Amino acid sequence: MSAVITVATTGPIATKADNPALPTTPEEIAAEVEAAYQAGAAVAHVHLRDEAQRPTADLAIARRVMELIASRCPILVQLSTGVGLDVPYEERARLVELRPRMATLNPCSMSFGPGEFRNPPLAVRRLAARMRELDVRPELEIYDTGHLEVCLRLQQEDLLTEPLQFSIVLGVQGGMAATPGNLLTMVSRLPAGAVWQVIAIGRANLQLTAIGLALGGNARAGLEDTLHLRKGELAAGNRQLVERAVRLVRDLDRSVASVAEAETLLALPRGPDVRRPPVPGPPVPGPPVPGPPVPGPHAQPT
């Protein structure tokens, strides 16, 4: 089966001081996305930065990035609604109003390094409902074992549709450690028919990406996940990391999915993108959440 490669160009944390190749302006991000597309990426996971390199959910910047990417290549855009730890949830949620083909949906609040990644349960449900209304496909980022159970509960509440699309995130301080055992545990617990990829942060990126591909998952590559090509050597850009992922795919006798194949494999709605007008109406709050009232807190700590 073909493997979908996603490029994650920027992320919310690193700056050019960490790696000068990190793209932060709309023009730099679009250029890096195009280079990654030429190397084999079918999906672009997009974080946004302001002029000071700080994470932002500014809709004008997001729209500019999406337009520049669309003018350069037909890659599928996946906007991050995680944005950054200091950006209010309401601002983050508004990004789906731009109607990218995909956007992230983070199901749970958690410690994230020295900070807190806030994803309030009722706000997550409102965002999931709005994404379904807009035909924006959720990419479910699960950083710990209990996050999977919350996603399955969202599905039971008719807020998510099959096949569920997961990113298993390993290596964030506050989440699961980046170990093969943790990856195997999470893969074994995914629901039947789920689409998934590994996001391995830092030094375990290459090894866990390879294991994930060997298990039948998709792959993510880029400077958001690792700033280095190998120990002691900074990556010269996102393209190098995508090319490495492509080699892994082919060495495992799998093929690299084209954009058209990725649309099918990810079960994307044939819906609107940056070139189509947004649905009118206020983005926040979203429509009433279907299903019974949700008591809070609804999950035990993991």
Side-chain angles (χ1 to χ4, degrees), residues 21 164 190 229 264:
L164 301 184
L190 294 176
L229 186 64
T264 300

Side-chain angles (χ1 to χ4, degrees), residues 12-183:
I13 296 173
T15 69
K16 290 182 182 293
D18 301 302
N19 185 327
L22 186 81
T24 57
T25 68
E27 292 76 16
E28 290 172 344
I29 292 171
E32 284 286 291
V33 166
E34 181 186 20
Y37 165 76
Q38 295 294 341
V43 176
H45 174 77
V46 177
H47 275 266
L48 308 163
R49 300 292 184 95
D50 65 15
E51 293 180 354
Q53 298 190 57
R54 294 171 302 204
T56 181
D58 184 283
L59 292 181
I61 294 175
R63 186 177 293 108
R64 174 66 173 158
V65 170
M66 291 174 67
E67 289 172 347
L68 286 171
I69 291 173
S71 72
R72 286 174 169 267
C73 64
I75 201 167
L76 304 167
V77 171
Q78 178 190 91
L79 281 184
S80 170
T81 65
V83 183
L85 302 184
D86 296 327
V87 180
Y89 193 89
E90 293 77 12
E91 294 180 21
R92 292 160 45 197
R94 289 189 185 101
L95 287 168
V96 303
E97 301 302 319
L98 298 179
R99 306 178 82 186
R101 298 299 297 277
M102 291 171 278
T104 57
L105 183 67
N106 299 280
C108 296
S109 296
M110 59 180 287
S111 296
F112 200 105
E116 180 185 9
F117 187 23
R118 295 192 67 253
N119 297 289
L122 292 180
V124 169
R125 282 165 168 77
R126 284 194 295 269
L127 178 55
R130 183 60 173 161
M131 291 174 74
R132 183 163 185 178
E133 180 183 7
L134 294 172
D135 272 340
V136 176
R137 187 74 171 158
E139 183 235 358
L140 304 165
E141 295 197 342
I142 51 177
Y143 292 78
D144 214 335
T145 55
H147 295 193
L148 174 58
E149 310 306 325
V150 174
C151 292
L152 298 179
R153 193 170 294 119
L154 294 176
Q155 183 188 21
Q156 292 168 2
E157 295 170 16
D158 201 31
L159 293 170
L160 301 175
T161 58
E162 293 183 331
L164 301 184
Q165 181 182 338
F166 291 97
S167 285
I168 302 171
V169 187
L170 302 163
V172 171
Q173 293 181 20
M176 292 179 288
T179 67
N182 281 338
L183 174 57

Side-chain angles (χ1 to χ4, degrees), residues 269-293:
R270 300 286 175 172
D273 58 15
V274 68
R275 289 158 288 194
R276 303 193 186 186
V279 171
V284 179
V289 178

